[in-house]
Amino acid sequence: IVESVGEGVTDVKPRDHVLPIFTGECKECRHCKSEESNMCDLLRINTDRGVMLNDSKSRFSINGQPIFHFVGTSTFSEYTVLHVGCLAKINPEAPLDKVCVLSCGISTGLGATLNVAKPNKGSTVAIFGLGAVGLAAAEGARIAGASRIIGVDLNPKRFDEARKFGVTEFVNPKDYNKPVQEVIAEMTGGGVDRSVECTGSIMAMMSAFECVHD
């Protein structure tokens, strides 16, 4: 909930309900004006910045020592200060304890599937990693009408929950003595139509790439 705004801020006002977003938008650069990119020239993800843009100073301190900002949002604190471009205004009736997951995990997985992978109706999709991002990716594949959604994860305890998000089949790489991409290729007659990698693991990225058909 917005407590106060800085000079020149007009997009939000005190008491507005907002979601912090670490891939901010200035709304003016070529990326923000493009339908194919959200990598804003001004506010793109920058883990090293650590300060506000207008004066290159931190707004946090403890015992007189500065604490740097984190990924433009600093949401591990109870109160934070961030660029207005890193906020999205939301309906005040939305329950904050539920809508908060839209800031990162849900929008990431759902958007990657629906807006980038764009699986066709009846297609096959492999989802690598069944955490929050992976479940959202599976939901995106389900919404798109995929006929088979294959969830890949090393933790079998995630499989039951993933069914609720549209996953139809499961593969645990630890259950096989060959690369998981070969397992998926055999399951699908040569490979899936789309795959979405949601773990950040380089090995998983390679498997996700190689499990897609020619």
Side-chain angles (χ1 to χ4, degrees), residues 171-184 186:
V171 174
N172 184 342
K174 292 191 292 187
D175 292 340
Y176 301 89
N177 57 7
K178 56 185 171 183
V180 68
Q181 55 266 36
E182 293 182 13
V183 175
I184 294 173
E186 291 175 3

Side-chain angles (χ1 to χ4, degrees), residues 112-121 123-125 140-141 144-146 193-194:
T113 305
L114 290 177
N115 300 331
V116 183
K118 298 179 180 178
N120 295 319
K121 188 173 182 179
S123 60
T124 56
V125 180
D193 298 303
R194 301 284 190 276

Side-chain angles (χ1 to χ4, degrees), residues 78-189:
E78 294 176 355
Y79 290 83
T80 186
V81 182
L82 61 171
H83 191 287
V84 68
C86 292
L87 288 175
K89 190 174 176 180
I90 63 171
N91 189 322
E93 295 184 12
L96 292 175
D97 62 333
K98 294 180 175 63
V99 76
C100 60
V101 297
L102 292 176
S103 277
C104 182
I106 304 302
S107 55
T108 302
L110 197 74
T113 305
L114 290 177
N115 300 331
V116 183
K118 298 179 180 178
N120 295 319
K121 188 173 182 179
S123 60
T124 56
V125 180
I127 309 291
F128 284 75
L130 297 174
V133 177
L135 294 179
E139 176 71 4
R142 185 194 66 78
I143 291 172
S147 62
R148 296 177 70 183
I149 302 172
I150 302 169
V152 182
D153 203 291
L154 297 172
N155 183 0
K157 294 181 180 179
R158 290 179 164 180
F159 291 170
D160 286 342
E161 187 70 17
R163 292 185 197 279
K164 302 175 185 177
F165 293 83
V167 175
T168 59
E169 301 159 71
F170 301 94
V171 174
N172 184 342
K174 292 191 292 187
D175 292 340
Y176 301 89
N177 57 7
K178 56 185 171 183
V180 68
Q181 55 266 36
E182 293 182 13
V183 175
I184 294 173
E186 291 175 3
M187 292 172 61
T188 55

Side-chain angles (χ1 to χ4, degrees), residues 23-97:
T23 49
E25 293 188 3
C26 71
K27 300 180 181 178
E28 299 295 331
C29 71
R30 60 178 179 168
H31 288 284
C32 285
K33 292 180 178 180
S34 166
E35 294 182 359
E36 298 182 347
S37 172
N38 68 338
M39 299 305 293
C40 174
D41 284 337
L42 182 67
L43 299 171
R44 70 173 61 209
I45 301 171
N46 184 339
T47 56
D48 297 325
R49 186 184 298 131
V51 292
M52 298 298 289
L53 288 169
N54 66 331
D55 61 4
S56 298
K57 294 181 180 179
S58 170
R59 297 296 185 268
F60 306 107
S61 65
I62 185 169
N63 298 326
Q65 297 298 313
I67 299 174
F68 292 108
H69 296 243
F70 179 67
V71 198
T73 59
S74 307
T75 50
F76 290 165
S77 59
E78 294 176 355
Y79 290 83
T80 186
V81 182
L82 61 171
H83 191 287
V84 68
C86 292
L87 288 175
K89 190 174 176 180
I90 63 171
N91 189 322
E93 295 184 12
L96 292 175
D97 62 333

